[in-house]
Amino acid sequence: MNKTAEAEEAQAEGLDSRRFKRRSVLWPAKIRVGKHELSCQIWNLSLGGARVRVDLPLQDGVEIELVMTGRGEIPATVAWAKGELLGVAFNVGPDVIKRMFEDRLHVLGLSEDD
């Protein structure tokens, strides 16, 4: 396997270096793309982004909103896509995400910046 393929595989598996800690979760959510909403599952979450499973593949660079019942909406960009899996980068700062999850930061392990 060449280095590019290894890097892509590591990224898809969530092994690449990240700015923030990432916590495994399994939460239902929706992705809003323009006027369309798609059901999805959040597989992991950090202060900077998330790994999401969605039935309809999206392309890198697509602007979305990640909608979580009881938490709100997070504007984001698809950073990578591999089949049904997406890596999304939040278009808001970590302070916004901390406020959205302030009651769960300790449980999620997101209370400290790396």
Side-chain angles (χ1 to χ4, degrees):
M1 185 179 303
N2 65 39
K3 288 190 185 256
T4 303
E6 287 175 4
E8 288 174 359
E9 184 175 314
Q11 183 181 37
E13 294 299 318
L15 301 175
D16 57 328
S17 61
R18 294 194 169 97
R19 185 172 164 203
F20 301 106
K21 289 181 185 177
R22 192 160 286 239
R23 178 64 70 184
S24 292
V25 297
L26 187 56
W27 292 341
K30 295 197 182 287
I31 289 180
R32 186 176 298 135
V33 182
K35 295 179 182 178
H36 304 282
E37 276 193 356
L38 310 168
S39 293
C40 68
Q41 290 179 324
I42 301 172
W43 282 12
N44 63 38
L45 178 76
S46 79
L47 295 175
R51 184 176 184 188
V52 179
R53 184 193 166 280
V54 64
D55 289 334
L56 185 66
L58 299 173
Q59 294 182 351
D60 297 6
V62 172
E63 299 289 322
I64 66 165
E65 288 182 325
L66 187 59
V67 182
M68 291 173 277
T69 302
R71 298 284 173 190
E73 304 168 359
I74 304 172
T77 302
V78 176
W80 58 266
K82 186 172 183 179
E84 296 176 337
L85 296 178
L86 306 176
V88 299
F90 298 149
N91 295 341
V92 296
D95 290 344
V96 174
I97 305 305
K98 283 182 181 181
R99 280 193 302 274
M100 288 180 77
F101 293 96
E102 63 188 346
D103 62 326
R104 306 295 295 166
L105 286 177
H106 180 70
V107 173
L108 290 171
L110 302 176
S111 58
E112 297 177 349
D113 290 354
D114 284 337

